[in-house]
Amino acid sequence: MSSLAAQFERDGFLVLPDFHPAAACRELMERGRHLSENYRLDGKGSVFQTSEQTKTSDAYFLESGERISFFFEKDAFDETGALKGDLFRSLNKIGHALHDLDPVFDRFSRSPQLKVLSASLGMQDHLLIQSMLIFKHARIGGVVDVHQDSTFLYTEPDSCVGFWFALEDATIENGCLWAKPGGHRTSLRSRFARDGKGGTRFLELDPAPLETDGMQALEVKQGTCIVLHGRLPHFSQPNTSGKSRQAYAIHTIDPTAHYPMDNWLQRDRRALKGF
Ligand code: FE2
């Protein structure tokens, strides 16, 4: 086992500075801005809010696994449903098939250094199943409650791994990630599934609450890659600062694991590709 793989197994996460050059981070942010400027809000926008995920699971959300879809901050709209401010600065994220549908995101998601990293972690055969450009804009970027990524990309056995890239410096003030070394050595608490009626529900696997005691702020520089074990509890606080905290995340699964038909995110399995 490589020393990186041993560290990942021990801690449940890896912080790898200088993984991508600043120019690659800027190119991805510019591409996100370009996609946002070409997006036309038609009717009511879809809000993404981790504390209300079953309530905000509309058809637009459920179909986003195969698309490039736009999600707004909960405070982006007034009581009449109109955007309060600039569309770009009201966005929470874009997801969830950027890595397959957009050439710039595709290239970033399948970089030579990521191929090397996935191989050293023994994940060279993993499939990229989801991607998100997370804006966490200044002053409006909302909280992401403590969660485990395997809840949202559930496989049997558990195999989800997240690769989180800081496109800008992430600090306590602008809402960096928080996690505890070794925190992944715990059970998966729930899975987020389709309810068969056009919505979603959380299926409880273990009623024990996720603890945030002992978590550390993962303050990182632009270009850093953070690898996250699917069972590692993590969260981020709202961005109360004047600086955005853009990040790009991709999630992978082991192709030999079972992927249930009622997982919220459904892709044509034959269309999934690796690194
Ligand atoms: Fe997460």
Side-chain angles (χ1 to χ4, degrees), residues 32-237:
R33 174 110 203 183
H34 171 78
L35 293 173
S36 308
E37 282 169 357
N38 284 296
Y39 166 66
R40 293 284 164 267
L41 178 58
D42 185 15
K44 193 178 175 304
S46 200
V47 166
F48 183 78
Q49 191 185 357
T50 54
S51 59
E52 296 285 343
Q53 248 166 309
T54 51
K55 284 189 198 153
T56 53
S57 295
D58 51 13
Y60 185 78
F61 174 75
L62 289 177
E63 289 163 10
S64 67
E66 298 267 12
R67 297 186 182 170
I68 296 177
S69 303
F70 298 76
F71 298 94
F72 291 87
E73 292 290 350
K74 75 171 170 51
D75 296 329
F77 300 97
D78 67 18
E79 42 304 331
T80 70
L83 266 183
K84 286 197 258 183
D86 171 64
L87 185 144
F88 179 63
R89 289 203 166 64
S90 306
L91 287 171
N92 172 287
K93 68 175 177 181
I94 308 178
H96 290 96
L98 285 160
H99 62 293
D100 284 335
L101 300 178
D102 182 86
V104 178
F105 282 89
D106 179 6
R107 216 179 312 130
F108 190 97
S109 308
R110 297 180 169 96
S111 64
Q113 60 269 47
L114 208 42
K115 286 188 194 5
V116 171
L117 173 62
S118 62
S120 71
L121 295 175
M123 297 170 198
Q124 59 274 18
D125 297 329
H126 270 216
L127 298 172
L128 278 61
I129 190 161
Q130 170 185 274
S131 52
M132 299 184 276
L133 176 64
I134 305 159
F135 292 107
K136 203 92 167 182
H137 283 302
R139 296 195 180 90
I140 189 171
V143 63
V144 175
D145 297 316
V146 63
H147 67 279
Q148 297 164 300
D149 289 344
S150 287
T151 290
F152 301 96
L153 295 163
Y154 177 75
T155 63
E156 295 166 355
D158 214 4
S159 68
C160 166
V161 175
F163 296 82
W164 188 99
F165 304 98
L167 303 180
E168 298 179 287
D169 295 351
T171 64
I172 289 177
E173 291 73 32
N174 71 2
C176 67
L177 295 179
W178 289 71
K180 178 182 169 180
H184 64 305
R185 288 194 286 270
T186 189
S187 59
L188 183 64
R189 302 306 205 272
S190 63
R191 53 179 291 239
F192 189 58
R194 295 182 178 221
D195 64 6
K197 294 179 279 189
T200 54
R201 59 188 167 161
F202 283 98
L203 300 174
E204 188 177 87
L205 305 173
D206 181 341
L210 288 173
E211 308 275 349
T212 54
D213 294 359
M215 284 196 186
Q216 304 170 357
L218 306 182
E219 292 193 286
V220 297
K221 291 283 180 204
Q222 179 186 52
T224 301
C225 170
I226 300 180
V227 190
L228 296 159
H229 189 284
R231 276 198 312 282
L232 181 80
H234 58 284
F235 73 94
S236 69
Q237 290 174 331

